Amino acid sequence: MRSDIMFIILGMGIVTYIPRMLPLTVFHRINLPPFWRGVLRNVPYATLGALIIPGIFLIQDDPWFGILGFVSAVLASWLGANVMIVVFVCVLVLTVYTML
């Protein structure tokens, strides 16, 4: 492999590693107040929601397709189903909706 490609890959690895390593090394001694710990605990969920929710409404030309899939997934998981059952319920609901 060419050396310039190797340097690019190495540079991308360093640039990716630094933002992950710095908070662990800098903030491990800092005791954050409970409010800020709660805020930081919710960041992954908020990010996931921000990535998924727009796709629900833009999945097809018919927005009800995404809404029905979302509602069926929420209901199935709220009732305690495991991930495979949730996926199966969504596929089943959307298949029935498509046939109608």
Side-chain angles (χ1 to χ4, degrees):
M1 190 178 286
R2 295 185 354 216
S3 63
D4 56 339
I5 293 176
M6 290 301 293
F7 285 124
I8 290 172
I9 293 172
L10 181 66
M12 289 189 301
I14 291 170
V15 167
T16 303
Y17 180 72
I18 288 174
R20 294 172 190 224
M21 181 221 21
L22 280 179
L24 290 175
T25 58
V26 173
F27 293 127
H28 79 281
R29 293 179 214 160
I30 298 174
N31 191 9
L32 293 173
F35 172 77
W36 288 111
R37 282 189 296 216
V39 168
L40 292 176
R41 243 184 238 123
N42 291 323
V43 168
Y45 304 114
T47 305
L48 187 62
L51 292 172
I52 290 176
I53 298 297
I56 290 171
F57 299 107
L58 303 173
I59 193 167
Q60 279 194 343
D61 294 332
D62 183 12
W64 283 106
F65 193 81
I67 293 169
L68 284 174
F70 174 73
V71 170
S72 64
V74 168
L75 286 175
S77 52
W78 186 57
L79 292 172
N82 66 22
V83 175
M84 292 301 293
I85 301 298
V86 171
V87 170
F88 179 72
V89 167
C90 288
V91 169
L92 184 67
V93 167
L94 295 177
T95 302
V96 169
Y97 177 71
T98 305
M99 289 180 174
L100 299 176

